[in-house]
Amino acid sequence: MVLSAISTPGDNILLPDRGFPLYSTICCRNGVERRLYPIDLDNDGLIDLVQLEAKIDKKTKAILINNPSNPTGIVFPKWHLEAILRIAYKYKLAIIADEIYGDLTFNNMKFYPLATLSPKVPIICCAGISKQYLVPGWRLGWIILHNRYNALCEIKSGIISLAQQIMGPSSLIQGALPDILHNVPNLFFENIRNLLQTNSDMIFSRLIRVPGLKPLRPSGAMYMMVKFDPEMYGNESDFVEGLIREESLYTFSGSLFNAPNWLRLLLTFPEETTNEACDRIEMFCQRSRRIYNWHK
């Protein structure tokens, strides 16, 4: 709804290049140019701010920032977010803050909502309960407009009109929201963070030792990106489909997020399942290296 309300055909929006593919789908559907700013997966998963600024012109309507990130699991530090805000302030741009993963952080990393930082710019925050509360099927989220300088008045009207066309979450779940937000014990979230931390540490420590694999250590969300060397394992399709066919192990292809030769792994399984998944990846890699190198 936000992407549709903030732009018209011929405009452009800056999107993360290593990001959730639905952003691009919505922009293309609306005739809006998607300008992808680089996420450097080989440099802690941070945004290339020089390239981000270089993509701004008079038709740029907003910068979309996804933090914590899907697919990388990176949580942007405070100084990095403030640098992004300075760019938005310089060009008088609004920011769409996709913060659906919010406080779902670990590795002692702190999440900073963009709207709490300076310099102050118009910010549209999108969030919900599906990730942090582990209830994706409930489809309950919200949009918060920080209407600084009254820059978002027309956009707010557009979002309200679009919201009336989409009948989403049931009234029962909406009625339960105050209790969900205020009465879920902290132990619930601590258990989730501990599981994510444990699985992240396990996968990283095991896969970093596998020749040709390079995991990117996450600090938030529920994913880990792993780079593989096509010189050792062949192309991405061979690798991903081989894991499915030979090990019954499903991963997301990095190309889905515009990150070829990377995989996205999920961190939410029980520890024993995650450990077995690492076993299967290691066995597959051992076989694949031998077979691929023999053919070469």
Side-chain angles (χ1 to χ4, degrees), residues 7-234:
S7 58
T8 57
D11 293 335
N12 66 73
I13 294 178
L14 273 56
L15 305 175
D17 186 12
R18 267 54 166 193
F20 189 49
L22 186 60
Y23 305 144
S24 294
T25 301
I26 294 170
C27 287
C28 292
R29 181 194 65 188
N30 293 342
V32 174
E33 181 187 356
R34 59 187 186 99
R35 293 198 174 171
L36 303 178
Y37 58 80
I39 301 286
D40 190 352
L41 297 183
D42 293 311
N43 182 28
D44 298 326
L46 299 182
I47 297 170
D48 184 329
L49 298 178
V50 174
Q51 291 295 318
L52 171 70
E53 185 171 2
K55 293 182 178 293
I56 297 171
D57 64 16
K58 293 181 179 179
K59 291 190 175 182
T60 303
K61 291 299 181 180
I63 306 171
L64 191 148
I65 302 295
N66 176 210
N67 180 48
S69 167
N70 176 12
T72 68
I74 296 301
V75 182
F76 294 141
K78 183 180 180 183
W79 66 265
H80 195 58
L81 295 171
E82 289 174 337
I84 295 167
L85 287 169
R86 287 194 291 272
I87 293 173
Y89 186 84
K90 176 181 177 180
Y91 293 95
K92 296 181 172 58
L93 288 174
I95 288 182
I96 303 170
D98 181 351
E99 297 176 342
I100 187 67
Y101 293 95
D103 287 314
L104 201 60
T105 62
F106 44 96
N107 280 338
N108 297 315
M109 181 63 76
K110 180 176 173 58
F111 164 69
Y112 292 93
L114 264 170
T116 66
L117 303 178
S118 294
K120 301 298 183 182
V121 302
I123 290 178
I124 308 173
C125 174
C126 303
I129 65 172
S130 64
K131 307 302 182 183
Q132 295 180 65
Y133 293 83
L134 306 182
V135 285
W138 290 12
R139 317 303 297 170
L140 181 59
W142 51 81
I143 300 168
I144 302 173
L145 283 82
H146 300 269
N147 190 17
R148 290 151 184 162
Y149 320 112
N150 292 317
L152 301 177
C153 294
E154 292 185 6
I155 294 167
K156 179 180 178 180
S157 298
I159 291 173
I160 291 172
S161 297
L162 289 169
Q164 293 170 347
Q165 299 176 24
I166 301 173
M167 306 306 292
S170 74
S171 57
L172 290 174
I173 297 173
Q174 292 183 66
L177 187 59
D179 277 344
I180 293 170
L181 294 178
H182 296 297
N183 296 331
V184 174
N186 286 331
L187 182 62
F188 174 81
F189 302 107
E190 290 174 8
N191 288 337
I192 296 172
R193 293 190 188 101
N194 288 338
L195 175 67
L196 295 173
Q197 175 84 69
T198 299
N199 284 339
S200 171
D201 290 344
M202 179 194 304
I203 295 172
F204 186 89
S205 64
R206 294 194 57 180
L207 297 191
I208 195 69
R209 300 195 300 263
V210 177
L213 297 188
K214 181 184 176 182
L216 177 65
R217 189 186 292 277
S219 297
M222 50 185 67
Y223 313 109
M224 176 182 285
M225 293 290 282
V226 179
K227 187 177 185 179
F228 71 92
D229 185 350
E231 291 295 318
M232 297 179 70
Y233 297 110

